[in-house]
Amino acid sequence: MIVAFDIIILVFLVIAAIISLSVKDLLAAAMVFGIYGFLICLLWAEMGAVDVAFTEATVGAGVSTVLIVATILNTRRKSTD
Amino acid sequence: MKAKIFASIAVAITGAVLLYAVTDFPNFGDPRSPANAGVEGGSPSASLYYIENTYRDTKVPNLVTAILADYRGYDTLFETVVIFTAGMAIFAILRVLRNENAPSAPSPDPEASNRTIDGDHHRIIVGITCRIAVPLVQIFALYVVAHGHHSPGGGFQGGVMLGASFILIALSGSLRDALARFSEASYIRLASIGILIYAGVAFLPLVFGRNFVDYGALKGLLGTDGEEMARSHGIFGVELGVAFTVMSIMFAIFANLSTRGRLKGGL
């Protein structure tokens, strides 16, 4: 565990989380959510939980982003929230 | 606006409580923490048992795989069933079978449904790149499934990657290409077969008079030297079932979500 690396990832994680919640364009939000998943994957890999990191990389950053995008393209792209 | 203020206050308080709780955690990787060393003066913890005995019991170097598929076999069986159920639920809600008057998916490109990897000059770079990438992804996914004993990975990750390779075909060409290679009938069949493989391998020890998911009983059937290798092979069989189910369900969810359950046209 490298503390400096941890802090960098965690800062980006918080930024990605806030952006994906606040951005109005849902497609952009889905992309930033994919980045969030990939950063969590990096964090887990760096902490030694490689199996969990692998699952997060395939499911969280990969397939779930595609599924969210597929859903957005079939509904509305702008958030009214 | 008022709701937002109340929500912010609730989130802030919850966050503060969680941060306060973090200070009571043991240090990262502390060998004397309760999870690692067990209750003081009591019996040693489960994780200590796994660390010391997994290789002796199952001949599987990757602790996580051995725990998921062997020691916690019930958990993983029903996790697979949960994924299967999720896929079937999406199928039941979205899939349009006969009603042709239902609103079709908005298709920005009218030729989208006719597009194939072979004949489209507009997207030739994407098409060719994905054509090269898909076999590599699939070979790596099979390696992840088969090598899950020794390296990170296993049935779930490999299955998701196999499903993603078909999604890649659908994204780079059209859904029709992907469905030509992996049709609706075959993905529903494979998803069920995956569950049956897992449940079957888990059930077989009962035939030999042993417990459910006790793969050591398959020693005679598999012709291995000891019960340890039989457990190792049993774990592989189980992972194969998980991979089948996850692959099929991932592709089924994508196919139904991207076309509003009509399996025509596409993104």
Side-chain angles (χ1 to χ4, degrees):
Chain A
M1 191 162 101
I2 311 153
V3 175
F5 197 58
D6 265 354
I7 291 171
I8 293 171
I9 293 177
L10 285 169
V11 166
F12 277 111
L13 204 63
V14 171
I15 294 172
I18 291 171
I19 290 176
S20 72
L21 279 176
S22 59
V23 77
K24 292 282 180 199
D25 186 350
L26 291 177
L27 199 60
M31 289 303 148
V32 179
F33 192 63
I35 294 171
Y36 177 86
F38 180 67
L39 285 170
I40 280 203
C41 158
L42 277 184
L43 192 66
W44 273 327
E46 187 259 336
M47 289 174 110
V50 194
D51 275 271
V52 189
F54 202 162
T55 313
E56 180 65 29
T58 51
V59 181
V63 171
S64 74
T65 309
V66 174
L67 293 182
I68 293 171
V69 170
T71 312
I72 289 169
L73 292 184
N74 276 305
T75 52
R76 278 173 300 120
R77 191 165 160 182
K78 291 285 172 196
S79 164
T80 53
D81 190 17
Chain B
M1 199 60 213
K2 227 171 208 174
K4 267 195 175 169
I5 292 170
F6 280 122
S8 310
I9 292 170
V11 167
I13 291 173
T14 315
V17 171
L18 285 176
L19 282 177
Y20 174 71
V22 164
T23 57
D24 285 343
F25 276 7
N27 285 328
F28 182 76
D30 183 6
R32 285 193 302 274
S33 69
N36 287 334
V39 187
E40 237 172 275
S43 56
S45 71
S47 55
L48 201 66
Y49 176 85
Y50 293 140
I51 290 166
E52 286 174 352
N53 297 307
T54 297
Y55 189 73
R56 214 187 55 209
D57 285 349
T58 62
K59 291 271 187 290
V60 173
N62 186 359
L63 282 182
V64 181
T65 304
I67 290 171
L68 278 180
D70 191 316
Y71 294 108
R72 294 280 175 270
Y74 273 106
D75 261 6
T76 315
L77 172 59
F78 288 107
E79 265 166 32
T80 318
V81 175
V82 163
I83 291 171
F84 179 76
T85 314
M88 287 302 113
I90 286 180
F91 181 84
I93 293 169
L94 287 178
R95 185 77 176 97
V96 182
L97 285 175
R98 270 187 213 90
N99 184 9
E100 292 298 324
N101 296 325
S104 65
S107 179
D109 183 358
E111 291 177 3
S113 57
N114 300 323
R115 196 186 294 136
T116 61
I117 291 179
D118 308 296
D120 185 4
H121 297 286
H122 302 291
R123 299 172 70 183
I124 196 157
I125 295 174
V126 176
I128 296 288
T129 310
C130 291
R131 238 170 120 154
I132 296 169
V134 163
L136 295 177
V137 171
Q138 289 180 340
I139 289 172
F140 184 60
L142 291 175
Y143 163 80
V144 167
V145 175
H147 209 253
H149 297 52
H150 299 271
S151 60
F156 195 79
Q157 291 92 328
V160 172
M161 286 171 73
L162 279 172
S165 72
F166 288 106
I167 293 178
L168 191 61
I169 294 175
L171 284 177
S172 67
S174 73
L175 192 66
R176 211 179 56 174
D177 292 321
L179 284 172
R181 289 161 172 83
F182 196 25
S183 68
E184 185 176 36
S186 50
Y187 65 61
I188 291 179
R189 210 171 287 148
L190 262 185
S192 321
I193 287 173
I195 301 272
L196 285 178
I197 290 175
Y198 197 138
V201 173
F203 184 80
L204 266 182
L206 286 179
V207 178
F208 295 97
R210 299 273 288 271
N211 287 329
F212 197 66
V213 299
D214 187 0
Y215 317 125
L218 305 177
K219 184 177 73 169
L221 198 70
L222 295 166
T224 52
D225 290 338
E227 294 211 342
E228 296 82 16
M229 275 319 283
R231 291 180 82 172
S232 176
H233 293 323
I235 290 172
F236 175 67
V238 158
E239 300 261 0
L240 215 57
V242 176
F244 275 142
T245 301
V246 171
M247 166 181 76
S248 317
I249 293 302
M250 286 299 154
F251 181 64
I253 291 176
F254 173 79
N256 279 300
L257 275 184
S258 64
T259 60
R260 297 191 179 184
R262 296 167 69 85
L263 301 187
K264 276 180 202 150
L267 292 179

